[in-house]
Amino acid sequence: MKNLQMRFAALLLILCMIGASLAGCGQPTPTLSPAQPTSPDSSISSVSQTDSSPASDTRLFTDSLGRDVEIPADIQKFAPSGSLAQLVLYGLAPDRMVGWTSKPTDAMAQYFDAKYINLPTFGTFYGKNADLNVEALIAANPQVVIDVGEVKANMKESLDALQQQIGIPVVFVEAKLETMGDAYRTLGELLNLPEDAKKLADYCDNTITDAKKYAAAIPQEKRVKVYYGEGKTGLQTNPKGSFHAEVIELVGGSNVADIPITSGAGGNEISMEQLLLWTPDVIILGPNSIYQSIGKDALWQDLTAVQQKKYFEIPNGPYNWMGRPPAVNRIIGVKWLGNLLYPEQFKYNMADEVKTFYKLFYHYELTDEQSKELMANSTFAKQ
């Protein structure tokens, strides 16, 4: 009896297939079959279909790791994978972001439209700080998860495993400081927002191109020696080659901390003796460091930069302009630090530049007072 049932089912299947080929049977056949490879240059393919739609509602997207990921043809809801992706994607499509990996703090909230602040928070998807709340993610119902940033070891395997775990397509778009424009163009293709992406990409490209041109004109003997300090003592530093310090070299500065990079998010811990040997011309300090007390601290008085009041606090709001996280916030940092170190080359009106950047990337209209407040400690140290 069981064999008879199986044969009957098989017969029905064959009849349906024949009927579909002759009369249409109400369902179109896929435009691609597994035996027909697509062109390697094609990032959009008709690879699946549903009973409710005669046309394909998915496409293949080849991400920056070379992974072919099946994604919805029309993405209206996405989740960022971490703080860097969140920052980059907010600039392009805030209305399509279903939530935060980390909710903006009260201090940061003033730079975001209130309608976005109360989006759900579902945590960071992977990495050493992963704290993903899968239930919150599922409730937010994204069509795809987008990761943005630098390529890391074993990343392909990590994203494949994440995709399998959550059952949602996961794609990666590489974004370095000097290729942020390319990243936005790729994201524009992914989200079908090419014109919006082009505005952001062009701004990034023009900033980087100008910085390289201006820096190239600065003779080596006139390059400013810069120390970048963070932490409660100011003696945590981001060495040359660190993501968080890339802006220094890009604008023609010389990072005095030319030392191996230690692991960890806080940078290298150094001694005051080492800093004295480096003799920086300019000191830039991260937010919540020692800017307010450095001028009165006896430990720092032997440094010429302190004596000449050439120490500055990196603007911070909603994110640190030098790179925490190391995302598109560094683009305005390029203009700020270039103008600070070499005002004759980087001839920017920074008040205007900051307003333009915040409008483009944060969708926020800065007031004159807010612009001044952001850079209050980043021009010349107060007497």
Side-chain angles (χ1 to χ4, degrees), residues 24 40 57 129 139 142 145 155 158 263 273 316 336 340 344 364 377:
D57 61 354
N129 296 319
V145 173
M155 198 171 195
S158 296
S263 61
E273 289 75 16
N316 183 50
W336 163 70
L340 179 70
E344 295 303 314
Y364 185 78
N377 301 325

Side-chain angles (χ1 to χ4, degrees), residues 49-336:
Q49 59 194 93
T50 66
D51 292 338
S52 61
S53 173
S56 173
D57 61 354
T58 64
R59 54 181 167 142
L60 278 182
F61 178 79
T62 303
D63 72 5
S64 298
L65 296 170
R67 300 166 59 249
D68 289 329
V69 183
E70 186 176 349
I71 61 172
D74 180 26
I75 299 173
Q76 293 297 320
K77 297 191 295 182
F78 66 79
S81 68
S83 58
L84 195 157
Q86 173 177 290
L87 198 168
V88 172
L89 287 161
Y90 182 87
L92 179 58
D95 289 328
R96 301 189 190 186
M97 198 169 77
V98 299
W100 305 96
T101 60
S102 56
K103 186 175 181 178
T105 64
D106 290 342
M108 297 163 67
Q110 64 178 303
Y111 301 105
F112 296 100
D113 191 308
K115 68 181 179 180
Y116 302 118
I117 295 300
N118 291 322
L119 287 173
T121 302
F122 35 71
T124 298
F125 282 67
Y126 72 105
K128 63 181 179 181
N129 296 319
D131 57 354
L132 175 63
N133 181 329
V134 176
E135 290 183 358
L137 173 67
I138 292 173
N141 195 30
Q143 296 166 282
V144 65
V145 173
I146 305 174
D147 187 24
V148 180
E150 298 269 354
V151 176
K152 303 177 184 66
N154 302 318
M155 198 171 195
K156 183 180 183 298
E157 293 77 12
S158 296
L159 294 190
D160 286 344
L162 173 63
Q163 181 171 277
Q164 184 174 7
Q165 175 193 355
I166 62 178
I168 301 170
V170 180
V171 300
F172 170 70
V173 175
E174 185 174 26
K176 300 179 181 179
L177 176 59
E178 295 187 21
T179 63
M180 192 62 68
D182 291 335
Y184 271 116
R185 276 182 281 274
T186 300
L187 290 168
E189 294 174 7
L190 176 66
L191 299 174
N192 296 320
L193 293 171
E195 294 304 316
D196 294 323
K198 183 178 185 303
K199 294 176 184 177
L200 305 180
D202 288 350
Y203 184 94
C204 294
D205 286 347
N206 291 338
T207 300
I208 298 300
T209 298
D210 287 348
K212 289 182 175 181
K213 178 176 68 176
Y214 301 150
I218 302 168
Q220 286 294 327
E221 65 273 14
K222 293 187 178 181
R223 303 219 163 191
V224 177
K225 295 188 296 181
V226 180
Y227 171 71
Y228 178 3
E230 293 186 301
K232 292 182 179 180
T233 65
L235 294 175
Q236 285 177 281
T237 192
N238 295 283
K240 181 178 179 180
S242 164
F243 299 150
H244 303 290
E246 282 184 296
V247 172
I248 297 173
E249 298 294 323
L250 180 62
V251 302
S254 176
N255 189 342
V256 295
D258 191 0
I259 54 178
I261 302 171
T262 60
S263 61
N268 290 44
E269 189 78 33
I270 64 162
S271 66
M272 179 57 71
E273 289 75 16
Q274 176 64 78
L275 183 53
L276 287 168
L277 290 173
W278 284 338
T279 62
D281 301 314
V282 167
I283 296 170
I284 56 175
L285 297 163
N288 304 313
S289 187
I290 60 168
Y291 174 82
Q292 298 296 342
S293 62
I294 189 174
K296 303 173 186 177
D297 192 324
L299 290 174
W300 293 78
Q301 291 304 306
D302 290 335
L303 287 166
T304 302
V306 175
Q307 296 168 10
Q308 296 180 351
K309 300 189 182 299
K310 291 183 178 179
Y311 57 91
F312 312 93
E313 187 172 49
I314 298 165
N316 183 50
Y319 301 97
N320 176 330
W321 290 6
M322 282 292 289
R324 295 204 180 273
V328 72
N329 45 322
R330 295 185 291 175
I331 296 296
I332 190 61
V334 168
K335 292 191 172 185
W336 163 70

